[in-house]
Amino acid sequence: MARPASAEEMNRLSPAVWPTSTRRQGDGALEIGGIDVRDAAAEFGTPLFLLDEEDLRERARRYRSAYMEAGAHLVYYAAKAFLATSVARWVTEEGLGIDVASGGELAVALRAGVPGDRLLMHGNNKSMAEIEAAVAAGVGRIVIDSFEDVVRIADAAARAGVVQSVLVRVTVGVEAHTHEFIATAHEDQKFGLSVSSGAAQEAVRRIAKLPSLDFRGLHSHIGSQIFDASGFEVAAARVVSLAQRIWDEQGIEVEELNLGGGMGIAYLESDDPLDVADMASQIGEIVAKQCANEGIPMPALAFEPGRAIVGPAGVTLYEVGTVKPVQLDGGAVRTYVSVDGGMSDNIRTALYDAEYTVVLASRESAAEPMLCRVVGKHCESGDIVIRDAWLPSDLVPGDLLAVAATGAYCRSMASNYNVLPRPGVVGVCRGEAAIVLHRETLDDLLRLDPGA
Ligand code: LLP
């Protein structure tokens, strides 16, 4: 990571990574959604997630309209990225459905008042209780992920006296990530039913014999943080050719094709994901072309973006606790900046070598840039939030740091490591701050311990 040329460059807020309402106030402190980050930290404590409601809603609208234009019948928000009732309401108001992957996510969506038919349920090991809850809620689509699912969902629907619409999740041997994808003839992973072994077709055969199930189509999710459409091209070719075989051999039409989520976002200014309008139209054209080649009608499409809706709308605020210069071999100095959270609120750096953008948020500084490693307060050296960052050399304990693009897969993957209460999430919009998720308290954690 190159040294910023000047203090101004270091203080600068790249629109590629910060929520649209982020700006520096006259005195240099950051403001998001019209809220001064110092006020948010004082009122709600740190670490704290701020969610820019307008930014999130705007993304939901943009993704929805781009995919609808490309032939989608419904765009689902993938709740795993982050879910709370307010977020479920916001995305529903913007016309999205919600993809839930557990009974817990289903319960939150229902609590938010999301109509059952706007929901889709995933899971490679749904419990009977989760399936029954989904059927009872009238979930629009349940995605079948195993032969056990076929029997269990059919049974739950029959007992409830309903016909449940289902998709079959297929694995096509494509694994995509950023600009690269790997395409193989085999599918060595836990999700879905494989195309090459004939398992996917066998599932469709079994579903067709069960009167409590209505086969609607196929589902394929090829990965996450994807920057271009090339992986989708290979996946679509394989899924569409499967659809053709299902039609040919079983006379069953694949009416829907859900291509999952995975659209990438910028974590660094240098990240350059394809714009959603281009991504959507390219995927739409790819599927149309493949269908024309195979001589089958174009199915209605569906998508499940998670990260792309909520990721860039979220920011983490931390308070600096210690600033420790460490001499490196060769004489250089790296300054370890410890914050009051860490791998318990952002595991992505430790888990995926994820990279983030950080700025000094409580003030602006004209001091020279210093090379830092932003680390957490947990008891292991891998507890790193940002491996390499340039921060002002006058950084002191008590300063606030803001980390960009933490709305997805940070709070949702948070843990209580070292018995740390998980941070709260606050929605900010036009100068109003509202709690989206309360900060956990020590009492919340002690309550689970019988104390015996
Ligand atoms: N649909 C399905 C079936 C999925 O498995 C996923 C993500 C999505 C949709 C949403 O993908 P998105 O648009 O958010 O990329 N924890 C990892 C990401 C795991 C994604 C798992 N599945 C991370 O922090 O990068």
Side-chain angles (χ1 to χ4, degrees), residues 127-181:
S127 69
M128 207 56 214
E130 287 174 321
I131 293 170
E132 282 163 2
V135 169
V139 161
R141 302 283 181 275
I142 301 184
V143 183
I144 285 182
D145 200 281
S146 62
F147 291 125
E148 287 88 346
D149 253 359
V150 176
V151 177
R152 290 172 189 160
I153 298 166
D155 182 42
R159 276 186 285 114
V162 297
V163 175
Q164 177 64 51
S165 293
V166 295
L167 303 177
V168 172
R169 178 158 176 180
V170 302
T171 40
V172 291
V174 176
E175 198 202 315
H177 182 72
T178 315
H179 289 291
E180 284 153 31
F181 70 92

Short mmCIF file of all heavy atoms in Angstrom, two decimals, residues 127-181:
data_model
loop_
_atom_site.label_atom_id
_atom_site.label_comp_id
_atom_site.label_asym_id
_atom_site.label_seq_id
_atom_site.Cartn_x
_atom_site.Cartn_y
_atom_site.Cartn_z
N SER A 127 -33.29 -27.79 9.47
CA SER A 127 -33.91 -28.71 10.42
C SER A 127 -35.38 -28.87 10.07
O SER A 127 -35.95 -28.04 9.34
CB SER A 127 -33.77 -28.17 11.84
OG SER A 127 -34.59 -27.03 11.98
N MET A 128 -36.00 -29.90 10.60
CA MET A 128 -37.43 -30.10 10.36
C MET A 128 -38.20 -28.89 10.91
O MET A 128 -39.15 -28.42 10.28
CB MET A 128 -37.86 -31.40 11.06
CG MET A 128 -39.05 -32.08 10.42
SD MET A 128 -38.81 -32.43 8.66
CE MET A 128 -40.48 -32.19 8.07
N ALA A 129 -37.75 -28.36 12.07
CA ALA A 129 -38.44 -27.21 12.66
C ALA A 129 -38.33 -25.99 11.73
O ALA A 129 -39.29 -25.23 11.57
CB ALA A 129 -37.83 -26.89 14.02
N GLU A 130 -37.17 -25.81 11.09
CA GLU A 130 -36.99 -24.67 10.18
C GLU A 130 -37.89 -24.84 8.95
O GLU A 130 -38.51 -23.89 8.47
CB GLU A 130 -35.52 -24.55 9.77
CG GLU A 130 -34.63 -24.03 10.89
CD GLU A 130 -33.14 -24.04 10.55
OE1 GLU A 130 -32.68 -25.01 9.91
OE2 GLU A 130 -32.43 -23.10 10.94
N ILE A 131 -37.95 -26.07 8.45
CA ILE A 131 -38.80 -26.32 7.27
C ILE A 131 -40.27 -26.08 7.62
O ILE A 131 -41.00 -25.41 6.88
CB ILE A 131 -38.57 -27.76 6.76
CG1 ILE A 131 -37.15 -27.89 6.19
CG2 ILE A 131 -39.63 -28.14 5.71
CD1 ILE A 131 -36.74 -29.33 5.87
N GLU A 132 -40.67 -26.58 8.78
CA GLU A 132 -42.08 -26.40 9.20
C GLU A 132 -42.40 -24.92 9.37
O GLU A 132 -43.47 -24.46 8.97
CB GLU A 132 -42.35 -27.16 10.50
CG GLU A 132 -42.54 -28.65 10.25
CD GLU A 132 -42.41 -29.50 11.51
OE1 GLU A 132 -42.21 -28.92 12.60
OE2 GLU A 132 -42.48 -30.74 11.37
N ALA A 133 -41.46 -24.16 9.95
CA ALA A 133 -41.68 -22.72 10.14
C ALA A 133 -41.81 -22.02 8.79
O ALA A 133 -42.65 -21.13 8.60
CB ALA A 133 -40.55 -22.10 10.95
N ALA A 134 -40.98 -22.44 7.83
CA ALA A 134 -41.02 -21.81 6.50
C ALA A 134 -42.34 -22.13 5.79
O ALA A 134 -42.97 -21.25 5.20
CB ALA A 134 -39.83 -22.30 5.66
N VAL A 135 -42.75 -23.39 5.88
CA VAL A 135 -44.02 -23.79 5.23
C VAL A 135 -45.18 -23.04 5.88
O VAL A 135 -46.05 -22.49 5.20
CB VAL A 135 -44.20 -25.33 5.31
CG1 VAL A 135 -45.61 -25.73 4.90
CG2 VAL A 135 -43.15 -26.04 4.44
N ALA A 136 -45.17 -22.96 7.22
CA ALA A 136 -46.26 -22.29 7.94
C ALA A 136 -46.31 -20.80 7.57
O ALA A 136 -47.38 -20.20 7.53
CB ALA A 136 -46.07 -22.45 9.45
N ALA A 137 -45.14 -20.20 7.31
CA ALA A 137 -45.09 -18.77 6.98
C ALA A 137 -45.45 -18.51 5.52
O ALA A 137 -45.54 -17.36 5.10
CB ALA A 137 -43.69 -18.23 7.27
N GLY A 138 -45.63 -19.57 4.76
CA GLY A 138 -45.95 -19.39 3.34
C GLY A 138 -44.78 -18.86 2.55
O GLY A 138 -44.95 -18.07 1.60
N VAL A 139 -43.58 -19.29 2.94
CA VAL A 139 -42.37 -18.85 2.23
C VAL A 139 -42.49 -19.18 0.73
O VAL A 139 -42.83 -20.31 0.36
CB VAL A 139 -41.12 -19.51 2.87
CG1 VAL A 139 -39.93 -19.47 1.95
CG2 VAL A 139 -40.80 -18.82 4.19
N GLY A 140 -42.22 -18.18 -0.10
CA GLY A 140 -42.49 -18.30 -1.53
C GLY A 140 -41.70 -19.40 -2.22
O GLY A 140 -42.21 -20.12 -3.07
N ARG A 141 -40.42 -19.53 -1.85
CA ARG A 141 -39.56 -20.57 -2.45
C ARG A 141 -38.71 -21.19 -1.35
O ARG A 141 -38.09 -20.46 -0.58
CB ARG A 141 -38.61 -19.97 -3.49
CG ARG A 141 -39.27 -19.22 -4.63
CD ARG A 141 -39.85 -20.19 -5.66
NE ARG A 141 -40.45 -19.46 -6.75
CZ ARG A 141 -41.71 -18.99 -6.77
NH1 ARG A 141 -42.51 -19.17 -5.72
NH2 ARG A 141 -42.17 -18.34 -7.82
N ILE A 142 -38.67 -22.51 -1.33
CA ILE A 142 -37.66 -23.17 -0.51
C ILE A 142 -36.68 -23.81 -1.49
O ILE A 142 -37.10 -24.45 -2.48
CB ILE A 142 -38.27 -24.23 0.45
CG1 ILE A 142 -39.29 -23.58 1.39
CG2 ILE A 142 -37.16 -24.88 1.27
CD1 ILE A 142 -39.89 -24.51 2.43
N VAL A 143 -35.40 -23.60 -1.23
CA VAL A 143 -34.39 -24.10 -2.15
C VAL A 143 -33.91 -25.46 -1.65
O VAL A 143 -33.35 -25.58 -0.56
CB VAL A 143 -33.21 -23.11 -2.27
CG1 VAL A 143 -32.20 -23.63 -3.29
CG2 VAL A 143 -33.71 -21.74 -2.68
N ILE A 144 -34.14 -26.47 -2.46
CA ILE A 144 -33.78 -27.84 -2.11
C ILE A 144 -32.30 -28.05 -2.32
O ILE A 144 -31.76 -27.73 -3.38
CB ILE A 144 -34.64 -28.82 -2.94
CG1 ILE A 144 -36.05 -28.82 -2.33
CG2 ILE A 144 -34.01 -30.21 -2.98
CD1 ILE A 144 -37.03 -29.74 -2.96
N ASP A 145 -31.65 -28.60 -1.29
CA ASP A 145 -30.20 -28.72 -1.31
C ASP A 145 -29.72 -30.16 -1.16
O ASP A 145 -28.52 -30.42 -1.17
CB ASP A 145 -29.65 -27.84 -0.17
CG ASP A 145 -28.19 -27.47 -0.34
OD1 ASP A 145 -27.33 -28.30 -0.05
OD2 ASP A 145 -27.91 -26.34 -0.80
N SER A 146 -30.66 -31.09 -0.99
CA SER A 146 -30.27 -32.50 -0.77
C SER A 146 -31.50 -33.38 -1.05
O SER A 146 -32.63 -32.88 -1.10
CB SER A 146 -29.84 -32.71 0.68
OG SER A 146 -30.94 -32.43 1.54
N PHE A 147 -31.27 -34.68 -1.15
CA PHE A 147 -32.41 -35.59 -1.30
C PHE A 147 -33.24 -35.64 -0.02
O PHE A 147 -34.45 -35.81 -0.06
CB PHE A 147 -31.93 -37.00 -1.69
CG PHE A 147 -31.36 -37.04 -3.10
CD1 PHE A 147 -30.09 -37.52 -3.33
CD2 PHE A 147 -32.12 -36.60 -4.18
CE1 PHE A 147 -29.57 -37.55 -4.62
CE2 PHE A 147 -31.61 -36.62 -5.47
CZ PHE A 147 -30.33 -37.10 -5.69
N GLU A 148 -32.57 -35.47 1.13
CA GLU A 148 -33.31 -35.42 2.40
C GLU A 148 -34.30 -34.26 2.38
O GLU A 148 -35.44 -34.39 2.83
CB GLU A 148 -32.35 -35.26 3.59
CG GLU A 148 -31.55 -36.48 3.93
CD GLU A 148 -30.24 -36.57 3.15
OE1 GLU A 148 -30.07 -35.84 2.14
OE2 GLU A 148 -29.38 -37.40 3.53
N ASP A 149 -33.84 -33.09 1.85
CA ASP A 149 -34.72 -31.92 1.74
C ASP A 149 -35.99 -32.25 0.96
O ASP A 149 -37.08 -31.81 1.32
CB ASP A 149 -33.98 -30.79 0.99
CG ASP A 149 -33.54 -29.64 1.89
OD1 ASP A 149 -33.82 -29.69 3.10
OD2 ASP A 149 -32.91 -28.71 1.36
N VAL A 150 -35.85 -33.01 -0.12
CA VAL A 150 -37.01 -33.33 -0.97
C VAL A 150 -38.08 -33.99 -0.11
O VAL A 150 -39.26 -33.58 -0.09
CB VAL A 150 -36.63 -34.28 -2.13
CG1 VAL A 150 -37.87 -34.68 -2.94
CG2 VAL A 150 -35.58 -33.63 -3.04
N VAL A 151 -37.66 -35.01 0.66
CA VAL A 151 -38.62 -35.78 1.47
C VAL A 151 -39.17 -34.93 2.60
O VAL A 151 -40.38 -34.89 2.84
CB VAL A 151 -37.90 -37.04 2.04
CG1 VAL A 151 -38.83 -37.81 2.95
CG2 VAL A 151 -37.37 -37.89 0.91
N ARG A 152 -38.27 -34.21 3.29
CA ARG A 152 -38.70 -33.44 4.46
C ARG A 152 -39.65 -32.31 4.09
O ARG A 152 -40.65 -32.06 4.77
CB ARG A 152 -37.48 -32.87 5.20
CG ARG A 152 -36.66 -33.94 5.88
CD ARG A 152 -35.36 -33.38 6.44
NE ARG A 152 -34.50 -34.46 6.89
CZ ARG A 152 -33.19 -34.36 7.08
NH1 ARG A 152 -32.58 -33.20 6.84
NH2 ARG A 152 -32.49 -35.39 7.48
N ILE A 153 -39.34 -31.59 3.01
CA ILE A 153 -40.18 -30.45 2.64
C ILE A 153 -41.53 -30.96 2.12
O ILE A 153 -42.59 -30.41 2.44
CB ILE A 153 -39.47 -29.54 1.60
CG1 ILE A 153 -38.19 -28.96 2.22
CG2 ILE A 153 -40.38 -28.41 1.13
CD1 ILE A 153 -37.22 -28.33 1.23
N ALA A 154 -41.49 -32.04 1.35
CA ALA A 154 -42.75 -32.63 0.84
C ALA A 154 -43.62 -33.06 2.02
O ALA A 154 -44.84 -32.81 2.04
CB ALA A 154 -42.45 -33.82 -0.06
N ASP A 155 -43.00 -33.67 3.00
CA ASP A 155 -43.73 -34.15 4.17
C ASP A 155 -44.34 -32.99 4.95
O ASP A 155 -45.52 -33.01 5.32
CB ASP A 155 -42.71 -34.95 5.03
CG ASP A 155 -43.37 -35.55 6.24
OD1 ASP A 155 -44.49 -36.07 6.08
OD2 ASP A 155 -42.77 -35.49 7.34
N ALA A 156 -43.54 -31.94 5.20
CA ALA A 156 -44.04 -30.78 5.97
C ALA A 156 -45.19 -30.11 5.22
O ALA A 156 -46.19 -29.73 5.83
CB ALA A 156 -42.91 -29.79 6.21
N ALA A 157 -45.05 -29.98 3.89
CA ALA A 157 -46.11 -29.32 3.11
C ALA A 157 -47.37 -30.18 3.12
O ALA A 157 -48.48 -29.66 3.30
CB ALA A 157 -45.62 -29.08 1.68
N ALA A 158 -47.20 -31.51 2.98
CA ALA A 158 -48.37 -32.40 2.97
C ALA A 158 -49.10 -32.31 4.31
O ALA A 158 -50.34 -32.20 4.35
CB ALA A 158 -47.93 -33.84 2.69
N ARG A 159 -48.34 -32.32 5.39
CA ARG A 159 -48.97 -32.23 6.72
C ARG A 159 -49.69 -30.89 6.91
O ARG A 159 -50.71 -30.83 7.57
CB ARG A 159 -47.93 -32.45 7.83
CG ARG A 159 -47.71 -33.94 8.08
CD ARG A 159 -46.80 -34.19 9.28
NE ARG A 159 -45.41 -33.92 8.94
CZ ARG A 159 -44.66 -32.95 9.46
NH1 ARG A 159 -45.17 -32.13 10.35
NH2 ARG A 159 -43.41 -32.78 9.10
N ALA A 160 -49.13 -29.83 6.31
CA ALA A 160 -49.77 -28.51 6.44
C ALA A 160 -50.90 -28.33 5.41
O ALA A 160 -51.60 -27.33 5.43
CB ALA A 160 -48.72 -27.42 6.26
N GLY A 161 -51.02 -29.30 4.51
CA GLY A 161 -52.09 -29.23 3.50
C GLY A 161 -51.83 -28.16 2.44
O GLY A 161 -52.77 -27.55 1.93
N VAL A 162 -50.56 -27.91 2.13
CA VAL A 162 -50.24 -26.91 1.11
C VAL A 162 -49.33 -27.52 0.04
O VAL A 162 -48.75 -28.59 0.23
CB VAL A 162 -49.55 -25.66 1.70
CG1 VAL A 162 -50.46 -24.95 2.68
CG2 VAL A 162 -48.21 -26.02 2.36
N VAL A 163 -49.22 -26.81 -1.08
CA VAL A 163 -48.25 -27.19 -2.10
C VAL A 163 -47.12 -26.16 -2.02
O VAL A 163 -47.36 -24.96 -2.13
CB VAL A 163 -48.88 -27.18 -3.51
CG1 VAL A 163 -47.82 -27.46 -4.56
CG2 VAL A 163 -50.01 -28.20 -3.58
N GLN A 164 -45.91 -26.64 -1.76
CA GLN A 164 -44.77 -25.74 -1.56
C GLN A 164 -43.98 -25.60 -2.85
O GLN A 164 -43.58 -26.58 -3.47
CB GLN A 164 -43.87 -26.30 -0.45
CG GLN A 164 -42.62 -25.48 -0.20
CD GLN A 164 -42.93 -24.06 0.30
OE1 GLN A 164 -43.68 -23.88 1.24
NE2 GLN A 164 -42.37 -23.07 -0.36
N SER A 165 -43.75 -24.35 -3.26
CA SER A 165 -42.92 -24.10 -4.44
C SER A 165 -41.45 -24.25 -4.05
O SER A 165 -41.01 -23.71 -3.04
CB SER A 165 -43.14 -22.69 -4.97
OG SER A 165 -44.45 -22.58 -5.48
N VAL A 166 -40.72 -24.96 -4.90
CA VAL A 166 -39.31 -25.21 -4.59
C VAL A 166 -38.42 -24.96 -5.81
O VAL A 166 -38.87 -25.04 -6.96
CB VAL A 166 -39.07 -26.67 -4.10
CG1 VAL A 166 -39.76 -26.91 -2.75
CG2 VAL A 166 -39.51 -27.69 -5.14
N LEU A 167 -37.16 -24.66 -5.51
CA LEU A 167 -36.11 -24.62 -6.53
C LEU A 167 -35.11 -25.71 -6.17
O LEU A 167 -35.03 -26.10 -5.00
CB LEU A 167 -35.38 -23.27 -6.52
CG LEU A 167 -36.20 -22.00 -6.71
CD1 LEU A 167 -35.27 -20.77 -6.58
CD2 LEU A 167 -36.87 -21.98 -8.08
N VAL A 168 -34.35 -26.16 -7.13
CA VAL A 168 -33.28 -27.12 -6.84
C VAL A 168 -31.95 -26.39 -6.99
O VAL A 168 -31.66 -25.82 -8.05
CB VAL A 168 -33.32 -28.34 -7.77
CG1 VAL A 168 -32.09 -29.22 -7.58
CG2 VAL A 168 -34.59 -29.15 -7.50
N ARG A 169 -31.17 -26.39 -5.90
CA ARG A 169 -29.86 -25.75 -5.98
C ARG A 169 -28.88 -26.72 -6.63
O ARG A 169 -28.72 -27.85 -6.17
CB ARG A 169 -29.35 -25.36 -4.59
CG ARG A 169 -27.97 -24.74 -4.67
CD ARG A 169 -27.64 -23.90 -3.48
NE ARG A 169 -26.28 -23.41 -3.55
CZ ARG A 169 -25.72 -22.65 -2.64
NH1 ARG A 169 -26.42 -22.27 -1.59
NH2 ARG A 169 -24.48 -22.25 -2.76
N VAL A 170 -28.26 -26.26 -7.68
CA VAL A 170 -27.34 -27.14 -8.40
C VAL A 170 -25.92 -26.60 -8.28
O VAL A 170 -25.70 -25.40 -8.17
CB VAL A 170 -27.74 -27.27 -9.89
CG1 VAL A 170 -29.15 -27.81 -10.01
CG2 VAL A 170 -27.60 -25.97 -10.65
N THR A 171 -24.97 -27.53 -8.28
CA THR A 171 -23.57 -27.12 -8.30
C THR A 171 -23.04 -27.42 -9.68
O THR A 171 -23.19 -28.52 -10.20
CB THR A 171 -22.75 -27.85 -7.22
OG1 THR A 171 -23.18 -29.19 -7.18
CG2 THR A 171 -22.97 -27.23 -5.87
N VAL A 172 -22.44 -26.38 -10.25
CA VAL A 172 -22.03 -26.48 -11.65
C VAL A 172 -20.53 -26.54 -11.83
O VAL A 172 -20.03 -26.52 -12.95
CB VAL A 172 -22.60 -25.29 -12.47
CG1 VAL A 172 -24.10 -25.39 -12.60
CG2 VAL A 172 -22.20 -23.96 -11.86
N GLY A 173 -19.77 -26.59 -10.73
CA GLY A 173 -18.31 -26.69 -10.85
C GLY A 173 -17.65 -25.36 -11.18
O GLY A 173 -16.55 -25.34 -11.70
N VAL A 174 -18.32 -24.27 -10.86
CA VAL A 174 -17.70 -22.95 -11.07
C VAL A 174 -17.59 -22.27 -9.71
O VAL A 174 -18.56 -22.18 -8.97
CB VAL A 174 -18.55 -22.06 -12.01
CG1 VAL A 174 -17.94 -20.66 -12.13
CG2 VAL A 174 -18.69 -22.70 -13.37
N GLU A 175 -16.37 -21.84 -9.40
CA GLU A 175 -16.18 -21.09 -8.16
C GLU A 175 -15.57 -19.75 -8.52
O GLU A 175 -14.47 -19.69 -9.08
CB GLU A 175 -15.26 -21.86 -7.22
CG GLU A 175 -15.38 -21.38 -5.80
CD GLU A 175 -14.15 -21.72 -4.98
OE1 GLU A 175 -13.68 -22.88 -5.08
OE2 GLU A 175 -13.67 -20.82 -4.28
N ALA A 176 -16.32 -18.69 -8.24
CA ALA A 176 -15.88 -17.36 -8.68
C ALA A 176 -15.51 -16.50 -7.49
O ALA A 176 -16.09 -16.61 -6.42
CB ALA A 176 -16.98 -16.69 -9.48
N HIS A 177 -14.53 -15.65 -7.70
CA HIS A 177 -14.09 -14.71 -6.67
C HIS A 177 -13.35 -13.57 -7.35
O HIS A 177 -12.41 -13.80 -8.10
CB HIS A 177 -13.19 -15.43 -5.66
CG HIS A 177 -12.74 -14.54 -4.55
ND1 HIS A 177 -13.59 -14.12 -3.55
CD2 HIS A 177 -11.55 -13.98 -4.28
CE1 HIS A 177 -12.93 -13.35 -2.72
NE2 HIS A 177 -11.69 -13.23 -3.14
N THR A 178 -13.77 -12.37 -7.08
CA THR A 178 -13.18 -11.17 -7.69
C THR A 178 -13.05 -11.34 -9.22
O THR A 178 -14.04 -11.65 -9.85
CB THR A 178 -11.85 -10.80 -7.01
OG1 THR A 178 -12.05 -10.91 -5.60
CG2 THR A 178 -11.47 -9.38 -7.29
N HIS A 179 -11.83 -11.19 -9.78
CA HIS A 179 -11.74 -11.29 -11.24
C HIS A 179 -11.51 -12.71 -11.72
O HIS A 179 -11.38 -12.96 -12.91
CB HIS A 179 -10.58 -10.43 -11.76
CG HIS A 179 -10.88 -8.97 -11.67
ND1 HIS A 179 -11.83 -8.34 -12.44
CD2 HIS A 179 -10.38 -8.01 -10.85
CE1 HIS A 179 -11.88 -7.07 -12.12
NE2 HIS A 179 -11.02 -6.85 -11.16
N GLU A 180 -11.35 -13.64 -10.76
CA GLU A 180 -10.97 -14.98 -11.18
C GLU A 180 -12.07 -15.98 -10.91
O GLU A 180 -12.86 -15.80 -9.99
CB GLU A 180 -9.73 -15.43 -10.39
CG GLU A 180 -8.47 -14.77 -10.88
CD GLU A 180 -7.44 -14.67 -9.78
OE1 GLU A 180 -7.44 -15.55 -8.90
OE2 GLU A 180 -6.68 -13.70 -9.81
N PHE A 181 -12.12 -17.00 -11.74
CA PHE A 181 -13.02 -18.10 -11.41
C PHE A 181 -12.36 -19.40 -11.81
O PHE A 181 -11.50 -19.46 -12.69
CB PHE A 181 -14.38 -17.92 -12.08
CG PHE A 181 -14.38 -18.10 -13.57
CD1 PHE A 181 -14.63 -19.36 -14.13
CD2 PHE A 181 -14.13 -17.04 -14.42
CE1 PHE A 181 -14.62 -19.52 -15.50
CE2 PHE A 181 -14.11 -17.19 -15.78
CZ PHE A 181 -14.36 -18.44 -16.33
#
